[in-house]
């Protein structure tokens, strides 16, 4: 029998690191800590090894399709499949981000990593998902907050129950292009680039589950979740939750027992699925 394996993206620090640590303690199989930076990734593995845990490391840049393919080859050769995938890698930028990049460049980076990075990881690794595999896309409550700032036309496209992954990706690309030519507000989008990336990821979750179900996948579940406002480098340590509190929802998603009917293709908060599109969100701490 082939050994079970779990993969966590963006795991050298923060929530990803916490997830690897927890999975090493509760998952019966190997846990792969992935990171874009090899030195930081190996350092994270070494720190967990000192605690008596035994994660493995594999370099992964979710913005590089070749890097994702290399991970697929590694998993195929060493495990023959995949049991848990947590798409956690992401970056935060907003309209007030102070750096050398323009608004349009930041939009492109955020969508490329937060949306396309996670979607591409799922798409490339999907053939490896074994029966009863679990996938969690780490989203955010910025999704329900941001979708309310989009026009009814954009929202109608996103919540179309028949939307395909290609159609969704076309919307995300159109957002990037509209940021470049300055027409994003006129076209019904928002300047909340991080939030819109999580809108896309949350919609993608439902599409991915639908595609798995129609393909005959055996009890493979894909859900997204909000970890909460966790104190991490991403928000400059402004969150009010600890990493230990923030990993509760992603862990719940990937440790769901075999053959459960729900949740599937949904977004979770406090371990419960909810209607994120219509959720009465007023602020990120609401």
């Amino acid at each position: 029998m082939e050994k079970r394996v779990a993969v966590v993206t963006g795991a050298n620090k923060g929530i990803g690191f916490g997830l690897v640590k927890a999975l090493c303690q509760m998952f019966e199989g190997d846990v792969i800590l992935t990171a874009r930076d090899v030195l930081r990734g190996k350092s994270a593995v070494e720190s967990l090894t000192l605690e008596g845990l035994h994660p493995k490391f594999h370099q992964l840049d979710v913005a590089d399709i070749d890097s994702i393919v290399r991970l697929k080859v590694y998993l195929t050769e060493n495990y023959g499949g995949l049991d848990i995938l947590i798409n956690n890698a992401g970056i935060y930028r907003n309209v007030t981000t102070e750096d050398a990049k323009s608004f349009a460049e930041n939009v492109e980076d955020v969508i490329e990593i937060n949306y396309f990075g996670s979607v591409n990881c799922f798409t490339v690794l999907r053939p490896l998902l074994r029966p009863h595999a679990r996938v969690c896309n780490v989203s955010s409550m910025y999704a329900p907050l941001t979708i309310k700032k989009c026009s009814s036309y954009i929202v109608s496209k996103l919540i179309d129950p028949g939307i395909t992954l290609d159609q969704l990706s076309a919307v995300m690309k159109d957002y990037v292009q509209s940021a470049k030519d300055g027409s994003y507000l006129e076209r019904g989008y928002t300047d909340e680039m991080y939030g819109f990336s999580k809108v896309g990821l949350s919609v993608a979750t439902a599409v991915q589950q639908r595609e798995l179900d129609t393909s005959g996948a055996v009890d493979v579940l894909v859900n997204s979740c909000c970890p909460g406002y966790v104190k991490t480098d991403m928000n400059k340590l402004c969150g009010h939750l600890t990493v230990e509190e923030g990993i509760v929802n992603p862990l719940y998603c990937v440790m769901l027992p075999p053959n459960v009917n729900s949740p599937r293709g949904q977004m979770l908060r406090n371990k419960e699925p909810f209607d994120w599109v219509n959720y009465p969100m007023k602020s990120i701490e609401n």
Side-chain angles (χ1 to χ4, degrees):
M1 182 177 179
E2 292 168 321
K3 196 169 189 179
R4 301 181 74 216
V5 61
V7 170
V8 184
T9 71
N12 61 284
K13 61 180 180 179
I15 293 172
F17 181 81
L19 286 166
V20 169
K21 181 176 180 178
L23 285 171
C24 283
Q25 297 169 323
M26 62 194 304
F27 173 68
E28 295 183 0
D30 285 348
V31 181
I32 313 297
L33 182 156
T34 72
R36 181 179 58 179
D37 186 286
V38 173
L39 291 179
R40 291 177 180 175
K42 288 185 175 181
S43 176
V45 166
E46 289 172 5
S47 69
L48 291 174
T49 301
L50 291 175
E51 296 185 40
L53 304 175
H54 304 286
K56 297 180 180 295
F57 173 72
H58 196 283
Q59 191 275 340
L60 175 65
D61 180 355
V62 299
D64 179 359
I65 195 72
D66 291 335
S67 179
I68 302 174
V69 170
R70 286 193 292 272
L71 174 62
K72 179 185 179 182
V73 171
Y74 169 80
L75 293 170
T76 301
E77 293 178 347
N78 290 276
Y79 300 96
L82 178 61
D83 301 282
I84 287 177
L85 171 62
I86 302 182
N87 282 313
N88 169 74
I91 60 172
Y92 179 80
R93 301 282 189 278
N94 64 24
V95 69
T96 62
T97 296
E98 296 180 0
D99 59 19
K101 291 190 174 183
S102 67
F103 171 79
E105 289 171 325
N106 278 324
V107 167
E108 187 168 30
D109 287 348
V110 168
I111 299 302
E112 180 66 28
I113 294 172
N114 296 4
Y115 172 76
F116 284 104
S118 293
V119 167
N120 288 339
C121 277
F122 173 84
T123 301
V124 172
L125 300 179
R126 173 180 165 177
L128 298 183
L129 294 173
R130 286 193 266 251
H132 315 298
R134 300 290 182 255
V135 179
C136 177
N137 294 321
V138 178
S139 187
S140 168
M141 291 305 287
Y142 272 105
L145 186 65
T146 301
I147 199 169
K148 293 172 177 56
K149 299 181 180 181
C150 298
S151 71
S152 58
Y153 173 70
I154 295 298
V155 173
S156 68
K157 293 179 71 172
L158 292 169
I159 66 173
D160 181 342
I163 190 172
T164 66
L165 208 53
D166 285 344
Q167 291 169 336
L168 173 58
S169 293
V171 173
M172 305 307 288
K173 290 177 181 177
D174 185 61
Y175 175 53
V176 173
Q177 181 57 45
S178 70
K180 290 180 178 179
D181 63 31
S183 66
Y184 61 96
L185 293 178
E186 178 185 341
R187 293 176 62 80
Y189 294 110
T190 171
D191 59 9
E192 294 285 354
M193 61 190 82
Y194 176 79
F196 197 73
S197 74
K198 296 302 185 179
V199 167
L201 186 58
S202 300
V203 174
T205 299
V207 178
Q208 290 165 342
Q209 184 66 68
R210 172 160 39 88
E211 291 183 349
L212 284 168
D213 291 344
T214 57
S215 71
V218 179
D219 187 38
V220 178
L221 299 183
V222 185
N223 289 292
S224 66
C225 73
C226 173
Y229 197 37
V230 181
K231 185 182 295 186
T232 64
D233 288 348
M234 180 179 283
N235 57 35
K236 299 181 180 179
L237 304 178
C238 290
H240 58 264
L241 298 179
T242 64
V243 167
E244 289 72 24
E245 292 170 317
I247 64 176
V248 170
N249 281 295
L251 284 177
Y252 177 79
C253 289
V254 298
M255 298 304 290
L256 286 165
N259 303 312
V260 295
N261 293 320
S262 177
R264 56 189 310 120
Q266 296 169 281
M267 184 172 176
L268 280 72
R269 186 188 192 199
N270 300 325
K271 298 196 288 188
E272 293 288 341
F274 72 106
D275 180 6
W276 67 271
V277 173
N278 298 302
Y279 188 78
M281 193 79 180
K282 296 180 180 179
S283 72
I284 195 58
E285 298 185 57
N286 175 239

